[in-house]
Amino acid sequence: MSIESGNRAAILKRSLIFSGLNDGDLNALSKLSVSRALKAGEFLFWEGDAPACFYVVASGKVKVLKHSSLGKEFVVAFFGPGEIFGEVAVFEERPYPASAQANSDTEVLGIGRDRFLAFLSGHPEVSLRIINMLGGRLRDAQNRLNALAGERAEQRVAKTLLMLSSKLGQSLPFTRQEIADMSGTTIETTIRVMSRMKSGGIIRSHRGRTDILDESRLRLLSEGPPLV
């Protein structure tokens, strides 16, 4: 089902880069967008596809991932309502560098490059917010690479949980497999680490959801030696 125009403006306003626009500008931008509904597991685009649009999540959750030459998935990021993805490939006019898959039943709004660049010409403040957002993502990517290169599994899992909670709050709707993928660890290692965190009263996990109970101890774990 297509998302109605009025609802599209409200969805766009939830995004950080569009939140400062007035109602008239939001309505104008919403008319440039197209909506798409995805079932859980359905791919929005594949790595290497030509970049038709960048997307804003209206509802649900999108998983961005890469596949190795051996077929193993590596989760790059998750995006929830109000968040934007696919914009770098669109602005650079290069193929998408990763694939995007609906992690649950999901709706997105897509905006094409040419229409959006025309919109930006009259809204330079949006361009500045995009630059700031991309800079933040570059720092996050560098931090993840540093973590994968030298940190222990306990620190990597803890940092992943903290990163997710900074975006989604204390209750995280992710399976242990998804947390393992984002942490760059095996599912067996992640289960072992999270079981120890659970025993220590740092987290509670149940039915594909993890609740952070003691953020201060989780942060200490992310910065220091493994849990004892």
Side-chain angles (χ1 to χ4, degrees):
M1 182 180 295
S2 177
I3 302 172
E4 296 182 359
S5 178
N7 291 335
R8 293 184 190 188
I11 290 164
L12 293 172
K13 190 173 181 63
R14 295 174 67 183
S15 171
L16 177 62
I17 67 171
F18 300 134
S19 61
L21 294 176
N22 60 43
D23 290 345
D25 289 336
L26 284 169
N27 286 329
L29 183 59
S30 71
K31 293 176 182 177
L32 305 181
S33 67
V34 294
S35 65
R36 181 170 171 184
L38 303 162
K39 295 293 185 182
E42 183 178 354
F43 279 84
L44 179 60
F45 56 77
W46 290 87
E47 180 178 351
D49 283 352
C53 297
F54 72 90
Y55 296 92
V56 181
V57 180
S59 63
K61 186 168 58 179
V62 171
K63 175 171 64 176
V64 176
L65 51 92
K66 292 183 72 69
H67 292 88
S68 72
S69 58
L70 299 176
K72 179 177 174 57
E73 290 185 356
F74 178 77
V75 176
V76 177
F78 283 92
F79 295 98
E83 294 190 299
I84 292 176
F85 63 97
E87 73 289 341
V88 175
V90 171
F91 296 152
E92 292 185 339
E93 288 191 287
R94 295 183 178 181
Y96 291 117
S99 303
Q101 182 184 30
N103 203 61
S104 59
D105 288 350
T106 298
E107 291 182 302
V108 297
L109 296 179
I111 302 177
R113 180 180 187 273
D114 292 341
R115 287 183 168 187
F116 188 60
L117 290 180
F119 179 84
L120 285 181
S121 66
H123 301 84
E125 73 280 8
V126 176
S127 300
L128 182 59
R129 290 188 180 190
I130 291 174
I131 291 171
N132 289 335
M133 179 186 70
L134 295 179
R137 288 190 182 174
L138 182 60
R139 289 190 296 273
D140 289 344
Q142 186 62 53
N143 289 338
R144 289 195 68 192
L145 287 174
N146 290 339
L148 290 173
E151 293 178 343
R152 300 179 65 96
E154 290 87 347
Q155 291 175 272
R156 285 148 63 174
V157 172
K159 284 190 173 182
T160 296
L161 293 175
L162 288 170
M163 178 270 293
L164 292 172
S165 69
S166 70
K167 297 169 63 175
L168 302 174
Q170 301 294 303
S171 185
L172 305 175
F174 298 98
T175 66
R176 292 186 177 188
Q177 180 64 67
E178 290 167 344
I179 293 170
D181 290 340
M182 286 185 284
S183 304
T185 62
T186 65
I187 181 62
E188 293 82 7
T189 297
T190 297
I191 289 173
R192 184 170 65 252
V193 168
M194 292 183 66
S195 293
R196 294 171 70 182
M197 291 180 181
K198 184 176 180 179
S199 297
I202 297 174
I203 64 170
R204 177 177 59 231
S205 58
H206 52 98
R207 297 183 180 179
R209 181 173 293 274
T210 297
D211 298 326
I212 296 176
L213 304 178
D214 192 334
E215 183 176 339
S216 61
R217 289 181 63 201
L218 185 64
R219 193 170 300 281
L220 285 173
L221 178 58
S222 75
E223 298 170 351
L227 201 64
V228 294

